[in-house]
Amino acid sequence: MEELLHPMLRTVISYIILLFVTYLFGKRMNSQLNYHSFAVAITIGSFIANMGFDTNLKFWPLLTSFFILTLVFYLSSYLSYQNKFLYKYLSGQPTAIIEKGKINEVNMKKAKYCMYDLQQQLRENGVFKIEEIETAYLEVSGKLSIQLKEQYKPATKQYIDQLNYETTG
């Protein structure tokens, strides 16, 4: 009975700890999954799995290491907001994929980003012709941010009101 109770108790404690840490850091980790947050999320998952299921490993040393990891993550997050260089190093930077309407093949190659990826993400953003794009950045999260050329931007209410005023005024 004890051989069942021990892993069950470890799993419940590990789950509660994961909920607590996710509550503390969840928005930071999920809001912009950059290199730093991704690595920590994977490592936290490994710790929780080992603490809960691997009864050959001692629980308290794992728990101590887990808390050291969360402390290091917290400190590096705090310091990266204070230091621009550290922030760039830990979080990465967006990569210009399209600039002034032209595809930047050098940056695509550096980012290991192929034309199929670009076309897919453009379609997901509702753009089906590359000619409509002024600028596109591949964000650290892997998402594509686009800026349409002026003539392809949707009309705003303010623009329509201005046109109506000019034609009636």
Side-chain angles (χ1 to χ4, degrees):
M1 180 69 177
E2 184 179 325
E3 55 190 55
L4 286 177
L5 188 60
H6 186 68
M8 288 170 43
L9 184 61
R10 286 176 65 136
T11 301
V12 168
I13 292 171
S14 299
Y15 179 71
I16 291 169
I17 292 168
L18 179 61
L19 286 177
F20 176 72
V21 170
T22 303
Y23 175 77
L24 288 177
F25 298 117
K27 289 180 183 173
R28 163 80 171 112
M29 279 189 204
N30 295 330
S31 65
Q32 51 179 354
L33 201 54
N34 53 37
Y35 309 134
H36 180 236
S37 299
F38 179 74
V40 170
I42 296 292
T43 308
I44 284 175
S46 297
F47 267 110
I48 292 299
N50 284 323
M51 286 185 339
F53 303 116
D54 193 345
T55 55
N56 294 325
L57 298 172
K58 293 185 179 180
F59 184 78
W60 293 112
L62 275 175
L63 183 63
T64 303
S65 295
F66 177 80
F67 281 124
I68 295 295
L69 173 69
T70 57
L71 179 65
V72 167
F73 176 72
Y74 175 79
L75 288 174
S76 60
S77 295
Y78 176 77
L79 292 174
S80 71
Y81 281 114
Q82 305 299 321
N83 183 309
K84 288 181 184 179
F85 174 77
L86 189 58
Y87 181 82
K88 285 183 199 178
Y89 180 75
L90 290 176
S91 299
Q93 290 184 290
T95 303
I97 299 296
I98 299 176
E99 298 175 286
K100 298 180 183 173
K102 305 277 187 220
I103 296 174
N104 187 326
E105 293 185 27
V106 173
N107 283 353
M108 284 184 66
K109 190 178 260 188
K110 283 182 188 175
K112 295 167 187 63
Y113 192 71
C114 70
M115 197 62 167
Y116 300 114
D117 296 329
L118 175 61
Q119 290 170 332
Q120 176 187 347
Q121 289 201 338
L122 287 175
R123 288 190 303 271
E124 289 172 354
N125 278 292
V127 179
F128 292 86
K129 294 180 183 175
I130 291 176
E131 298 81 34
E132 297 178 9
I133 306 297
E134 177 66 29
T135 308
Y137 285 95
L138 182 61
E139 302 294 345
V140 177
S141 66
K143 294 180 180 177
L144 191 69
S145 297
I146 61 171
Q147 178 185 22
L148 296 172
K149 290 181 179 174
E150 199 63 40
Q151 65 266 29
Y152 297 109
K153 289 182 180 178
T156 63
K157 182 178 180 330
Q158 181 181 4
Y159 178 72
I160 292 170
D161 288 345
Q162 182 182 357
L163 284 177
N164 288 336
Y165 177 77
E166 289 173 3
T167 58
T168 60

